[in-house]
Amino acid sequence: MEIIIRNYKAKDLEDVNALLKEVYDRERKGKTLDNNIELVALVEQKVVGYIILNKLYDVVDGIYYGHINFYCVLEKYRNKKIGTKLLEEVFNICKKEDITYLELTSNSSRVAAHHLYKKLGFNIRNTNVFRKEII
């Protein structure tokens, strides 16, 4: 099975929305911003994986860091190294973009995903994530 990782294109919207609907019950509505890098994973020209890398700047430490959003693979394609390949491409981009470290959040129920994150060198931080809806 050949897995192709490439930048998201507007023509991917329908497939990406089907993927986001399956995994998160959400749809992509916004546009790609300059500080966002969006990748898709393709198998036989079908979008089966998606990831967003937000490039952020820490003004206190004077470094760039990345935040991963909406990282997902269609259930039928999981455990086939697609998620690993997406993250490996993100790691390569981080090196080119001088991104010092990556962060992501993950629901506690996603045990298999947590195993992958640990296998690829992510560490669990002792923190809570808080959110306040403004609009």
Side-chain angles (χ1 to χ4, degrees), residues 39-50:
L39 302 174
V40 292
L42 302 166
V43 172
E44 297 176 359
Q45 300 181 359
K46 175 184 171 71
V47 174
V48 298
Y50 181 61

Side-chain angles (χ1 to χ4, degrees), residues 16-89:
V16 164
N17 275 340
L19 174 56
L20 290 171
K21 183 74 171 162
E22 176 186 300
V23 178
Y24 296 109
D25 197 26
R26 307 275 301 271
E27 284 188 351
R28 184 185 192 284
K29 296 175 183 162
K31 60 183 177 182
T32 301
L33 301 177
D34 290 342
N35 64 330
N36 293 344
I37 298 163
E38 296 179 71
L39 302 174
V40 292
L42 302 166
V43 172
E44 297 176 359
Q45 300 181 359
K46 175 184 171 71
V47 174
V48 298
Y50 181 61
I51 192 167
I52 303 170
L53 170 62
N54 305 118
K55 183 177 179 181
L56 304 166
Y57 185 69
D58 179 335
V59 298
V60 173
D61 291 329
I63 58 172
Y64 288 99
Y65 67 99
H67 184 81
I68 293 173
N69 276 312
F70 296 102
Y71 168 50
C72 51
V73 174
L74 285 172
E75 186 171 5
K76 151 179 174 176
Y77 289 89
R78 292 181 188 161
N79 297 310
K80 298 181 185 311
K81 304 289 183 199
I82 294 165
T84 298
K85 286 188 176 280
L86 277 167
L87 282 173
E88 287 172 345
E89 184 60 25

